[in-house]
């Protein structure tokens, strides 16, 4: 299991890097810049993920959204960890259920 993995039941709070350095990370402008750079990486790199949001809330970063696979989720969490090291990061990133139904749908 990866050090960035979270329970399959949903997201959980995570700290990217050492939270003790959050005060050293700079002011709100620096955090906003780092979040904007994270958005650029998520859209441009191998993930090409546009369905994930990262927002600054009360001095920490909240990352939410849905990705198509567990592998994409791991890549996303690794990228978040790299970009936002030293900041308090809370994640709630879900894996979309893509399995075919196991029974027919009953219509009225």
């Amino acid at each position: 299991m990866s050090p960035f993995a979270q329970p399959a039941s949903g997201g959980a709070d995570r700290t990217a890097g050492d939270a003790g350095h959050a005060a050293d990370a700079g002011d709100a402008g620096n955090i906003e810049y780092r979040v904007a750079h994270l958005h650029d990486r998520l859209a441009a790199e191998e993930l090409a993920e546009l369905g994930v949001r990262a927002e600054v809330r009360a001095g920490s970063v909240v990352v939410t959204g849905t990705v198509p696979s567990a592998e994409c989720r791991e890549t996303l969490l690794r990228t978040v960890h790299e970009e936002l090291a030293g900041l308090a990061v809370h994640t709630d990133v879900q894996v979309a259920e893509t399995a075919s139904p196991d029974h027919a749908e009953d219509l009225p």
Side-chain angles (χ1 to χ4, degrees), residues 14-32 34 56-61 84-90:
R14 284 270 179 224
T15 301
D18 182 7
H21 292 116
D24 300 335
D27 60 5
N30 185 35
I31 295 171
E32 292 287 343
R34 291 174 70 185
V56 177
R57 294 186 190 165
S60 63
V61 181
L84 304 178
L87 298 176
V89 177
H90 306 282

Side-chain angles (χ1 to χ4, degrees), residues 10-79:
D13 290 347
R14 284 270 179 224
T15 301
D18 182 7
H21 292 116
D24 300 335
D27 60 5
N30 185 35
I31 295 171
E32 292 287 343
Y33 173 81
R34 291 174 70 185
V35 169
H37 192 259
L38 171 65
H39 280 275
D40 291 344
R41 278 191 67 186
L42 293 178
E45 291 184 1
E46 81 264 11
L47 206 63
E49 185 56 59
L50 299 175
V52 174
R53 295 176 49 97
E55 301 173 333
V56 177
R57 294 186 190 165
S60 63
V61 181
V62 178
V63 180
T64 59
T66 303
V67 294
S69 70
E71 182 179 321
C72 287
R73 186 172 182 277
E74 292 298 321
T75 302
L76 171 78
L77 294 176
R78 185 175 54 253
T79 303

